Amino acid sequence: MTGPLGAQCVAADRRARHDEAVGRAAVYLVIDNQGAQSDRLLTSRSFVAARVEVHRTSVEDGIARMRPVSVLHDAAGKRVEFARGGLYLKLMGLKKPLVAGQSYDLELVFEVAGPRRLVVAVRD
Ligand SMILES: [Cu+2]
């Protein structure tokens, strides 16, 4: 998955968790920028959700809060890890239930690397 300008973004350890009650799901992955220049994740989308946003969870005064991250930076040669308690991709307005064992496409659009299509497996 090499981009035209040398940036490479690989997503590994792709996992989605679905919160049935509220029609949303979280996706955890790793973006690995193996390119020679820094890159930015501009937008994300999936046919299963109305919107996909990057959110960051942080603990402030003992209370876990989450905030949308509009543009995510990934420096050259660095990995950005999405994990519980930190960054996650939030699928909002799910158009159909996500079923454990199934997979669906997710597209991440990077400024340098361009669009990257991944397959995300749904876990319990
Ligand atoms: Cu959130």
Side-chain angles (χ1 to χ4, degrees), residues 9-14 28-32 79-82 108:
C9 291
V10 176
D13 191 23
R14 302 178 290 269
Y28 303 99
L29 47 74
V30 176
I31 297 172
D32 188 3
R79 291 156 59 95
V80 175
E81 300 196 18
F82 290 61
L108 306 182

Side-chain angles (χ1 to χ4, degrees), residues 24-29 31 41-46 49-57 66-72 82 86-94 104 106-108:
R24 65 191 185 202
V27 179
Y28 303 99
L29 47 74
I31 297 172
L41 175 62
L42 302 178
T43 188
S44 312
R45 52 190 169 233
S46 174
R51 274 200 329 283
V52 182
E53 295 181 357
V54 177
H55 283 207
R56 187 190 302 277
T57 305
M66 61 177 190
R67 295 209 167 81
V69 176
S70 54
V71 175
L72 185 74
F82 290 61
L87 284 169
Y88 63 103
L89 278 163
K90 190 172 198 168
L91 307 183
M92 305 168 81
L94 287 176
Y104 58 91
L106 178 70
E107 189 174 60
L108 306 182

